[in-house]
């Protein structure tokens, strides 16, 4: 992402979308170069893995391959997988987002919510930054306040959009005052939005903070030792780390940047690299048969959607949106793009972010909804009712990965089967990214694809981006009942009660389809034969996953 394109108003939605875009690039490989398995296209036999065997002991070092070099290790800009998979091991947040997507105390040993408009955090004693200086409440205030600074242009401003002030109110106490009740703020403190950095380092490094020369000075189980631009990042164990349960089992971790998926898979097959997140799905059978380690699948929060970005054309009629989704062969998409790993879905969230909701809310959210199993005849009837026969749509795609091609082709086929015309425009990856950050780039565009993950354990995060006027509400969809539900839900602290309202929002989105949900797929991971201890989960973006890895 080009930082100069981002100003504070654009940040709220563009970063999440970009991260999702890059996520699917990594999952599927990069175009023809990613075709690492020339064998059959039979479905992959898979299951979710919660954890792996505990290490038999510590290990001197191990190596992981990353599909891309981090854009930045400045927590204010860390939104992509490549950034956060490093940052999660060297920096820490006020709260800790665990592999099961629960939240627990982090650099804040506790928090209180004394009034509807205030959150009070008690900063943990006995924690030091990697330069040996102690963590203080002043560091927390300085770190959090950067998200409010327009000159910074934080990708995480949306978490802070209702913040009125951030103040040190005690020796180890930080008080955040909101403009109104906001349950989502505290939930966001388990990710990059809650990272605490040394205030002195922020001041010293300035514009170089978080890049390959400025580095970071945080509190995690590893410290950043070197960043060889274009090549690799090396992290070494921080021996004075405060949490005995998460002391690093490896003395050193090297993350090698391998943008060519074929080279990455060959390195995993040979054992020259010990592991990698985001394994290209077409390479899984090859890796499974290579005998050099295990391919694992973990919990995810992402859903693949076709975004409806123009409601002033034919897709402004909900019958046309429903018809297009009913005509799509989503099972075929899942097979062609992911070898059957995952499941089709009619909603925009996964059950993993509904853990604290009531049984009734989960039933309402996932069972009491409309089903869009493929039904071309029913879809044709809806098109006829809408008078939309022969209408033309513009679908924008890019030569990014196999699933981009699969989904664009499937959308064209579905539209044609019910009497619609689709013009496909192929743009560069950079131009595709602009769809998420520049409204002018979406002019004349009806449809494009994204995979949208959530950074907190609450489904409300997903539906917040579809409120009237939100930057990520790309098609300008508006529903007053939906908005009212969201406005009330965000004020409710009790997750069970909040979940019941969020379920109503999910039902409305399921009926009106501002985006067309396609599938959900797990996170993939390769773990080589030398190592064990990792917990496969999308939480590797925020949890110090490398610290748990030791000798097999």
């Amino acid at each position: 992402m080009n930082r100069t394109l981002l100003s504070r108003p654009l940040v709220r939605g563009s970063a999440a979308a970009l991260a999702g875009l890059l996520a699917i690039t990594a999952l599927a490989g990069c175009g023809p170069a990613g075709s690492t398995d020339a064998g059959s296209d039979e479905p992959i036999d898979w299951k979710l893995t919660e954890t792996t065997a505990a290490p038999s002991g510590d290990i001197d070092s191990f190596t992981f391959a990353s599909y891309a070099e981090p854009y930045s290790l400045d927590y204010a800009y860390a939104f992509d997988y490549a950034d956060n998979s490093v940052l999660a091991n060297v920096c820490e947040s006020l709260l800790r987002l665990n592999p099961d997507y629960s939240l627990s105390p982090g650099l804040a040993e506790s928090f209180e919510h004394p009034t509807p408009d205030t959150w009070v955090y008690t900063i943990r004693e006995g924690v030091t930054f990697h330069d040996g200086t102690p963590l203080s409440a002043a560091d927390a205030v300085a770190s959090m306040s950067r998200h409010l600074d327009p000159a910074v242009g934080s990708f995480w401003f949306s978490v802070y959009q209702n913040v009125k002030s951030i103040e040190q109110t005690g020796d180890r106490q930080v008080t955040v005052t909101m403009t109104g009740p906001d349950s989502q703020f505290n939930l966001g403190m388990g990710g990059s939005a809650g990272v605490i950095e040394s205030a002195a380092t922020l001041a010293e490094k300035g514009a170089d903070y978080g890049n390959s020369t400025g580095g970071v000075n945080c509190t995690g189980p590893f410290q950043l030792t070197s960043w060889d631009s274009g090549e690799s990042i090396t992290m070494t164990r921080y021996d004075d780390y405060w949490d005995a349960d998460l002391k690093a089992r490896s003395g050193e971790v090297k993350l090698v940047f391998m943008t060519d998926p074929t080279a990455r898979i060959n390195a995993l097959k040979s054992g020259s690299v010990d592991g990698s997140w985001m394994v290209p799905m077409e390479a899984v059978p090859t890796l499974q048969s290579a005998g050099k380690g295990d391919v694992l699948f973990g919990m995810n929060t992402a859903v693949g959607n076709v975004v409806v970005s123009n409601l002033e054309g034919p897709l402004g009629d909900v019958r046309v949106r429903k018809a297009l989704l009913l005509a799509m062969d989503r099972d075929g998409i899942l097979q062609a793009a992911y070898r059957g790993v995952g499941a089709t879905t009619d909603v925009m969230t996964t059950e993993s972010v509904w853990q604290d909701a009531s049984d009734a809310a989960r039933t309402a959210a996932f069972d009491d909804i409309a089903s869009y199993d493929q039904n071309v005849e029913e879809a044709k009837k809806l098109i006829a009712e809408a008078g939309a026969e022969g209408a033309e749509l513009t679908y924008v795609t890019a030569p990014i990965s196999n699933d981009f091609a699969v989904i664009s082709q499937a959308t064209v086929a579905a539209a044609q089967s019910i009497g619609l015309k689709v013009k496909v425009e192929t743009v560069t990856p950079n131009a595709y990214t602009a769809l998420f950050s520049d409204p002018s780039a979406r002019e004349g565009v009806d449809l494009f694809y994204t995979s949208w993950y959530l950074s907190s354990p609450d489904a409300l995060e997903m539906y917040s981006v579809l409120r009237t006027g939100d930057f990520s509400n790309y098609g300008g969809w508006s529903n007053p009942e939906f908005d009212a539900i969201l406005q009330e839900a965000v004020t409710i602290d009790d997750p069970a009660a909040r979940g019941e309202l969020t379920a109503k929002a999910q039902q409305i989105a399921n009926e009106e389809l501002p985006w067309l949900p396609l599938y959900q797929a797990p996170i993939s991971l390769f773990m080589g034969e030398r190592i064990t201890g990792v917990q496969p989960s999308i939480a590797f973006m925020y949890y110090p996953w490398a610290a748990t890895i030791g000798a097999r």
Side-chain angles (χ1 to χ4, degrees):
M1 177 179 280
N2 185 338
R3 188 180 306 185
T4 61
L5 293 178
L6 291 173
S7 61
R8 185 161 149 183
L10 298 186
V11 166
R12 293 177 57 186
S14 61
L18 174 65
L21 167 64
L22 295 179
I24 45 184
T25 303
L27 281 167
C30 300
S35 299
T36 53
D37 176 37
S40 74
D41 58 357
E42 288 298 310
I44 293 169
D45 185 20
W46 70 282
K47 63 180 180 178
L48 287 179
T49 298
E50 292 184 2
T51 189
T52 56
S56 61
D58 289 356
I59 193 170
D60 290 337
S61 65
F62 67 87
T63 304
F64 250 57
S66 176
Y67 72 91
E69 182 171 9
Y71 165 69
S72 174
L73 294 184
D74 183 338
Y75 61 91
Y77 309 121
F79 226 116
D80 186 22
Y81 291 76
D83 307 344
N84 279 313
S85 63
V86 178
L87 195 71
N89 293 290
V90 297
C91 293
E92 295 182 291
S93 303
L94 288 175
L95 303 182
R96 179 178 285 161
L97 187 62
N98 299 299
D100 63 358
Y101 249 53
S102 64
L103 283 169
S104 59
L107 293 183
E109 65 181 23
S110 64
F111 66 87
E112 298 175 351
H113 194 31
T115 73
D117 299 342
T118 54
W119 295 93
V120 180
Y121 299 91
T122 301
I123 304 304
R124 189 179 297 275
E125 279 191 296
V127 178
T128 57
F129 291 106
H130 295 149
D131 66 357
T133 59
L135 168 71
S136 71
D139 295 307
V141 171
S143 298
M144 299 168 76
S145 295
R146 292 183 73 230
H147 297 289
L148 298 175
D149 184 352
V152 173
S154 170
F155 287 8
W156 294 93
F157 171 70
S158 60
V159 176
Y160 285 77
Q161 62 185 308
N162 295 323
V163 170
K164 184 177 179 181
S165 65
I166 303 170
E167 300 174 302
Q168 180 172 345
T169 50
D171 210 21
R172 294 188 293 121
Q173 188 180 86
V174 175
T175 298
V176 180
T177 304
M178 317 297 294
T179 57
D182 186 349
S183 62
Q184 300 301 291
F185 177 79
N186 188 59
L187 295 174
M189 292 301 100
S192 295
V195 164
I196 306 303
E197 169 61 273
S198 161
T201 298
L202 290 172
E204 176 193 351
K205 298 299 183 181
D208 285 334
Y209 173 69
N211 64 23
S212 59
T213 57
V216 299
N217 177 30
C218 288
T219 63
F222 287 98
Q223 55 188 325
L224 182 67
T225 305
S226 64
W227 182 347
D228 186 1
S229 186
E231 298 293 333
S232 64
I233 280 176
T234 300
M235 307 181 296
T236 55
R237 179 167 50 213
Y238 181 53
D239 291 329
D240 292 330
Y241 182 58
W242 62 272
D243 188 348
D245 293 334
L246 269 176
K247 287 239 181 189
R249 304 299 304 267
S250 178
E252 180 181 278
V253 178
K254 187 173 185 179
L255 292 106
V256 183
F257 314 140
M258 299 183 117
T259 57
D260 180 352
T262 300
R264 184 156 52 109
I265 298 309
N266 287 339
L268 295 173
K269 285 167 56 180
S270 70
S272 62
V273 168
D274 293 301
S276 180
W277 294 98
M278 321 296 285
V279 177
M281 206 59 67
E282 65 267 28
V284 168
T286 298
L287 289 173
Q288 287 177 327
S289 61
K292 292 293 185 178
D294 304 307
V295 179
L296 305 171
F297 299 98
M299 185 194 78
N300 204 351
T301 64
V303 172
N305 302 274
V306 172
V307 174
V308 178
S309 55
N310 179 14
L311 292 175
E312 305 211 349
L315 292 168
D317 189 322
V318 67
R319 293 171 293 186
V320 179
R321 302 197 294 274
K322 288 184 176 182
L324 183 57
L325 188 56
L326 281 168
M328 294 185 75
D329 180 8
R330 294 182 295 166
D331 288 328
I333 289 172
L334 189 67
Q335 177 58 34
Y338 291 100
R339 297 288 185 91
V341 176
T344 60
T345 184
D346 295 309
V347 294
M348 299 178 211
T349 63
T350 63
E351 292 197 43
S352 56
V353 291
W354 291 80
Q355 297 177 46
D356 293 329
S358 65
D359 290 341
R362 282 192 293 271
T363 297
F366 290 94
D367 297 335
D368 300 340
I369 54 170
S371 173
Y372 294 98
D373 292 341
Q374 189 177 24
N375 189 330
V376 175
E377 293 308 311
E378 179 63 24
K380 288 180 178 178
K381 291 178 184 177
L382 289 171
I383 291 295
E385 289 176 12
E389 299 98 329
E392 185 171 303
L393 306 173
T394 297
Y395 184 106
V396 172
T397 187
I400 292 176
S401 62
N402 178 53
D403 51 342
F404 271 66
V406 167
I407 291 165
S408 65
Q409 293 164 8
T411 303
V412 170
Q416 291 178 341
S417 73
I418 56 177
L420 299 176
K421 300 176 182 178
V422 178
K423 179 176 66 174
V424 176
E425 293 184 358
T426 301
V427 300
T428 66
N430 283 344
Y432 197 86
T433 299
L435 294 171
F436 299 92
S437 60
D438 183 359
S440 68
R442 298 193 296 271
E443 291 179 6
V445 177
D446 295 292
L447 300 162
F448 60 93
Y449 169 55
T450 189
S451 183
W452 200 273
Y453 72 84
L454 301 189
S455 303
S456 71
D458 195 324
L460 187 60
E461 180 190 332
M462 173 68 243
Y463 294 108
S464 294
V465 306
L466 294 175
R467 293 171 296 184
T468 300
D470 192 275
F471 185 80
S472 300
N473 186 354
Y474 301 122
W477 175 69
S478 181
N479 181 298
E481 180 186 2
F482 180 90
D483 290 346
I485 288 171
L486 268 289
Q487 185 174 352
E488 181 181 356
V490 77
T491 68
I492 297 175
D493 291 330
D494 176 34
R498 188 171 64 246
E500 293 186 9
L501 284 174
T502 307
K504 292 180 181 178
Q506 180 148 300
Q507 289 175 331
I508 292 172
N510 163 257
E511 281 289 340
E512 296 210 4
L513 298 177
W515 297 0
L516 309 182
L518 302 178
Y519 64 88
Q520 51 182 299
I523 284 292
S524 57
L525 165 71
F526 180 82
M527 184 177 69
E529 58 186 352
R530 295 177 59 242
I531 60 173
T532 187
V534 70
Q535 296 172 274
S537 166
I538 182 65
F540 83 92
M541 301 247 292
Y542 308 109
Y543 182 83
W545 57 272
T548 64
I549 294 178
R552 192 180 289 214

